[in-house]
Amino acid sequence: MGVSITFASAPSGAEALAVGVRPGLAPCATAAAGERGRLLTRALAGKHRFKGEEGDVRPVLTPDGWLVAVGLDEADDQDAAALRRIGAALFAELADSGITHLDAALDLAADEAAELAYGLVLRAWRIPQRYRLHPDPDTEWSLEAVTVVSPDPEASRRHFARLEAVAAAVAQARDLVVAPANALTPQAFADRLSDLFPLGVAVEILDAKALAKQGLNLLLAVGRGSARPPLLACLRWNGAADAEAPPIAFVGKGITFDTGGVCVKDGEDMAEMKGDMGGAATVFGLMAALARRRAKVNAVGVLAIAENMLSGRAQRPGDVVRAYNGTMVEVVDTDAEGRLVLADALAWTARTCRPAALIDLATLTGAVETALGKKRAGLFASDDALAEQLAAAGEAEEERLWRLPLTDLYDEDLKSAVADLRSCSWEDRAPDHLHAARFLQHFVPGDLPWAHLDIAGTAEAGEDEDGDEPFTGPGPTGFGIRLLDRWLAERHEE
């Protein structure tokens, strides 16, 4: 974690004290007390931009040290999500302020204090320094510890334990996405899965030989152009009382680098393609979160991992490949590789793991970002109840989804003259995100509740204010871990 959190019944005497202020500059009880209240009132009087609204943070230097005014918004609007945003804003403002230890005394209930701390730790992530010989002083943070004042510190600690497990998983996923492709090859990704062993997650790896034996030929075809062979990883967490109960399964696209293959990408788009394994990173993080908090559910995570490279062995447009479920697929565009690896992984997971529900995540299409922007991921689902549940969890966690059509109207566009199915359409204005989802549906049994999350627009946040995701800041977001963990907790845990 980027910041250490403790809970206490009173301020610890840290060098800075954060206090709460409501709109209209109405201080909370702790903020209004004694000389502190007079100093704060004087500091905030006159011309200033601090209004006491959510997200407002104003450090004030007093003779007794730093006093930090934190806008809490109206009490009626102070739900868990708002408190997380406030915690995130507090860390973002003070991270490089020179303050090392902060007391946060915002007059919150025990569970509210835990939610504030959750926002703090979610925001306290930065790009790992392991890829530098000399640390960049511009990225150095001073804030190392926060003591959150709570009327019942033990209750806050219990509430925070589950949240902290999720925050740690989000950080792990972000670390994976930001890793350079020469450090996170398919095998290196597989090696990282050993981090799950101490948590009690079982890991099975299917190497290229096993993939060929079992017939995952689409995954093999995508990885064929690389000197680094593809693989499939299966992660299992059995936390339910009935170890034999059907699991909930998650499949992630894990393209550790995507050149586009023979249909090579433009050079300006290439550098970011190390992050084309964002779906697999999310599934990895979700399994880590479930194991850390000892979730009472059976879950399976399947990662389809490959490099999409150019070579004399690479697949070509026009190739026909037999998928795991027997479907003959004509490859149209080698840069539409994600749906190929997912197709095999979905069919394999459905047959091998026999799940009660199946969800996949992938940075799959630029078209979904064009349609929805960077604030919502595309949701496609074969089951209305599943779609509604996921959308509700996404709203609650502020990882928002928007349901898009999954229909046979697009089957004509996927017809092939030589095979059962084309991987995509060559039309310039084709709705590629809709085609991709319909293509994937052919590899999922019709009676299995299934959802496809196209996270291409939400897996990373931009540097600008509009693109800066409040809980994680600019860079990889770990999108999907929070919403899926919530969905499992509400709908599937015992």
Side-chain angles (χ1 to χ4, degrees), residues 272-310:
E272 297 305 313
M273 290 301 103
K274 66 180 183 179
D276 208 15
M277 33 60 67
T282 291
V283 173
F284 170 93
L286 177 63
M287 298 300 291
L290 296 177
R292 275 198 182 92
R293 66 179 185 80
R294 319 312 290 174
K296 295 179 179 180
V297 66
N298 294 340
V300 170
V302 175
L303 317 182
I305 304 174
E307 272 190 336
N308 186 25
M309 302 291 284
L310 295 92

Side-chain angles (χ1 to χ4, degrees), residues 387-417:
E388 291 171 5
Q389 292 169 12
L390 291 174
E395 289 295 327
E397 290 294 329
E398 300 194 59
E399 290 193 320
R400 295 182 173 90
L401 307 174
W402 191 262
R403 192 174 185 185
L404 293 166
L406 186 65
T407 168
D408 59 7
L409 291 175
Y410 300 105
D411 285 354
E412 189 67 29
D413 297 334
L414 298 177
K415 279 188 176 180
S416 168

Side-chain angles (χ1 to χ4, degrees), residues 66-321:
W66 285 103
L67 191 60
V68 183
V70 180
L72 292 181
D73 221 332
E74 298 294 350
D76 291 344
D77 298 329
Q78 195 171 285
D79 59 6
L83 287 162
R84 295 173 187 181
R85 289 193 298 268
I86 292 165
L90 182 58
F91 184 86
E93 180 67 29
L94 301 184
D96 58 356
S97 63
I99 295 169
T100 59
H101 187 187
L102 173 72
D103 284 334
L106 306 185
D107 299 331
L108 302 175
D111 59 336
E112 293 176 328
E115 296 289 350
L116 179 90
Y118 187 32
L120 279 160
V121 295
L122 280 172
R123 185 69 190 223
W125 177 91
R126 57 181 171 174
I127 294 174
Q129 298 294 297
R130 69 173 67 98
Y131 306 116
R132 295 181 181 274
L133 176 60
H134 304 292
D136 181 358
D138 292 338
T139 66
E140 291 296 312
W141 287 344
S142 61
L143 188 58
E144 298 175 351
V146 178
T147 298
V148 182
V149 176
S150 165
D152 187 342
E154 186 54 38
S156 293
R157 279 189 285 270
R158 287 195 302 270
H159 190 92
F160 183 62
R162 172 183 173 274
L163 303 175
E164 187 178 29
V166 177
V170 171
Q172 281 185 292
R174 299 184 81 191
D175 286 350
L176 286 169
V177 173
V178 82
N182 61 328
L184 194 73
T185 63
Q187 185 57 53
F189 199 160
D191 293 342
R192 293 277 191 102
L193 302 181
S194 62
D195 293 347
L196 300 174
F197 294 163
L199 302 177
V201 176
V203 178
E204 176 188 6
I205 303 292
L206 275 63
D207 60 14
K209 185 177 180 180
L211 294 177
K213 183 176 181 181
Q214 296 197 31
L216 284 88
N217 298 311
L218 292 175
L219 177 53
L220 284 168
V222 169
R224 200 169 65 198
S226 175
R228 303 171 179 87
L231 56 90
L232 189 84
C234 182
L235 320 176
R236 297 179 186 270
W237 167 252
N238 282 348
D242 180 2
E244 302 301 320
I248 308 300
F250 303 90
V251 172
K253 172 189 170 185
I255 302 297
T256 59
F257 194 76
D258 180 20
T259 66
V262 173
C263 304
V264 65
K265 293 179 180 292
D266 292 338
E268 65 185 40
D269 298 328
M270 194 82 77
E272 297 305 313
M273 290 301 103
K274 66 180 183 179
D276 208 15
M277 33 60 67
T282 291
V283 173
F284 170 93
L286 177 63
M287 298 300 291
L290 296 177
R292 275 198 182 92
R293 66 179 185 80
R294 319 312 290 174
K296 295 179 179 180
V297 66
N298 294 340
V300 170
V302 175
L303 317 182
I305 304 174
E307 272 190 336
N308 186 25
M309 302 291 284
L310 295 92
S311 76
R313 300 181 64 250
Q315 67 172 342
R316 297 144 295 212
D319 283 0
V320 175
V321 183

